[in-house]
Amino acid sequence: MMQFRVGVFGSSAKTTSQKICDEAFRLGALIAERGFVCVNGAGSTGVMGYLNEGARSKNGKIKGVIHRTFIVDAKEDVKITDLVITNGHGLNERKDALFEESDCLIVMPGGVGTFDEFWDVVCSRSLSMKGVDDKPICLVNLDGFYDGFIAQLQRAFDEGLLYMPVAHFFRVETTVEGALNYCVEEFNRPKPANSARSKKRDLVEYGDLASEKYGGSLANNEPVNNQSTSTNLLQLVMVGSACLSVGLLLGLKLQLRK
């Protein structure tokens, strides 16, 4: 039987306030105490760093998902042995891997990277994409940190811009205990037979490199094939030159008639 995997989004900034870091440490410890796997972006500082230290304090299991760029910059938590490394020109593959590797998602306070992860999963749920349709998602609204996000979504719903009420996108809790308890209870709640969660979990082991579904040739560190791009550009130049030549000939013919 596979362990319950708790995905956590949160800051990597070294300047993250101590209060937020302390809550991240407590969340990591709680995840480990309950025998769950702590899944996160493998950062060594901020929320992610304290989260992982909290899990280690209780001998918990940690799974990291990180973009190769951050390894080159030596920003990863080197103590993590179970690591998925993604590639690509942006963070989309990393986010997809985080979604895939987690049975639930808890959003702690963070910066624009965390905001990007949060809005991506909200959008994906709205569109029934990326397998997050019925995956528990909880926003940890410490000291009203996410009040602005919640208010903006409510305004959008009130103006008729959303397909569903705000509460359908995610749960809001003010403590890490409340967030974890909600995720466990919601995950264990019986689901319809056709739901995404009722299907058998993908048991593929990814090793130290992301599989093709997280980036194809880029995940295998292969060079991008630019041949087709160059061919298309050459064709456009040739068509443009032909059109210009025709235009000049027509203009010359009109001049001769005058």
Side-chain angles (χ1 to χ4, degrees), residues 30-228:
L30 287 170
I31 292 171
E33 282 179 344
R34 299 184 69 168
F36 305 148
V37 181
C38 181
V39 182
N40 62 87
S44 59
T45 54
V47 163
M48 286 188 283
Y50 276 81
L51 176 77
N52 291 329
E53 287 303 320
R56 289 190 190 97
S57 73
K58 301 295 182 179
N59 297 315
K61 184 177 179 180
I62 302 168
K63 182 156 196 170
V65 179
I66 194 169
H67 193 282
R68 187 175 298 277
T69 296
F70 302 127
I71 290 182
V72 172
D73 293 340
K75 293 181 179 179
E76 81 279 16
D77 186 331
V78 295
K79 298 177 184 176
I80 297 177
T81 57
D82 189 359
L83 195 64
V84 172
I85 304 172
T86 64
N87 291 283
H89 300 300
L91 296 178
N92 289 331
E93 293 159 23
R94 183 194 187 198
K95 288 184 289 184
D96 289 350
L98 280 166
F99 299 164
E100 175 70 21
E101 296 292 342
S102 304
D103 295 312
C104 68
L105 295 165
I106 293 177
V107 186
M108 291 286 286
V112 292
T114 303
F115 299 167
D116 177 44
E117 292 163 342
F118 169 71
W119 287 116
D120 193 328
V121 76
V122 167
C123 180
S124 297
R125 167 159 286 183
S126 177
L127 299 173
S128 297
M129 299 175 73
K130 298 190 177 184
V132 299
D133 306 38
D134 56 1
K135 197 168 280 191
I137 301 168
C138 190
L139 198 64
V140 184
N141 194 27
L142 295 174
D143 293 332
F145 184 86
Y146 283 114
D147 283 352
F149 280 12
I150 299 165
Q152 187 61 59
L153 276 173
Q154 187 59 50
R155 171 70 184 275
F157 178 76
D158 294 342
E159 297 286 355
L161 304 176
L162 300 185
Y163 297 119
M164 56 193 77
V166 176
H168 185 83
F169 292 110
F170 52 84
R171 172 73 167 247
V172 179
E173 292 286 344
T174 58
T175 66
V176 294
E177 294 93 343
L180 185 58
N181 287 339
Y182 162 75
C183 287
V184 174
E185 292 169 7
E186 180 64 15
F187 183 83
N188 290 327
R189 185 168 60 85
K191 291 292 178 182
N194 62 346
S195 73
R197 198 185 309 160
S198 67
K199 299 175 183 177
K200 186 177 181 180
R201 185 188 290 173
D202 184 359
L203 299 180
V204 174
E205 291 296 332
Y206 301 111
D208 64 341
L209 284 177
S211 69
E212 288 193 359
K213 68 179 176 179
Y214 295 148
S217 60
L218 287 176
N220 294 319
N221 219 21
E222 296 174 8
V224 179
N225 183 4
N226 292 319
Q227 184 176 356
S228 60

